Amino acid sequence: MDRGKPGSKMHILSDANGLPLLVGVSAGNTHDSEGLKPMIEGHQTRHDPHNRRFFKPQRLHADKAYDRPDLRRWLRWKHIGVRIARKGIESSERLGRRRWVIERTMSWLSGYRRLSPRYERHPRNYLAFLGLAAAICCYKRLVRLTT
């Protein structure tokens, strides 16, 4: 967190393959962990009416910025498995087998010319372009899988 930093941060919730499921924007001077609860709350679970089952996230992988006891308790209460790097215990050099997936997704979204330097003055416009870029990423993956 940099208190004097202007701008915005992208928050992205993705699946295990790196497809963006949910995108969000916050102020540049807020801590990363403040965006976790709204992202999890905003993610809608799927419902299968035939089996009467709900499909919800199984586990969450995150970096050291999200290592807070209250977030861990909240995720446990939501029955979501937690794999968050611990501050002072685990090395930050090892991103892990799954951490690179979200880094790749961030790279995909930052590759769009409209998003890398933020041209939009209003956050709702920037969020709209971010959502459009996420939809294009999903569409490109779908086309690649079906052809």
Side-chain angles (χ1 to χ4, degrees), residues 7-12 20 23-25 105-137:
S8 60
K9 290 183 183 179
M10 290 189 296
H11 297 280
I12 300 170
V23 293
V25 177
T105 305
M106 297 282 282
S107 174
W108 287 343
L109 295 177
S110 297
Y112 289 98
R113 193 175 72 148
R114 193 75 181 204
L115 296 177
S116 55
R118 182 177 166 176
Y119 294 115
E120 305 305 318
R121 185 167 183 85
H122 297 290
R124 65 177 179 265
N125 294 343
Y126 183 71
L127 183 61
F129 280 117
L130 187 60
L132 183 62
I136 291 172
C137 286

Side-chain angles (χ1 to χ4, degrees), residues 20-77:
L21 300 174
L22 192 64
V23 293
V25 177
S26 69
N29 60 355
T30 59
H31 196 268
D32 291 339
S33 63
E34 298 297 323
L36 181 65
K37 283 186 182 181
M39 294 296 284
I40 298 294
E41 290 291 336
H43 180 63
Q44 296 180 1
T45 59
R46 291 180 292 162
H47 176 65
D48 187 5
H50 302 294
N51 297 351
R52 295 183 182 176
R53 292 181 52 189
F54 285 93
F55 297 97
K56 63 178 185 66
Q58 296 293 319
R59 69 187 66 87
L60 175 80
H61 294 271
D63 61 0
K64 291 182 183 183
Y66 299 94
D67 186 24
R68 289 184 13 201
D70 61 322
L71 286 178
R72 286 180 182 272
R73 276 192 307 272
W74 184 77
L75 287 168
R76 237 180 275 125
W77 180 74

Side-chain angles (χ1 to χ4, degrees), residues 76-99:
R76 237 180 275 125
W77 180 74
K78 290 277 212 184
H79 302 289
I80 298 174
V82 178
R83 177 62 184 104
I84 299 175
R86 295 189 183 274
K87 293 179 186 174
I89 297 174
E90 298 177 27
S91 172
S92 60
E93 294 173 0
R94 261 187 42 196
L95 291 177
R97 291 180 291 170
R98 291 175 178 75
R99 175 77 178 128

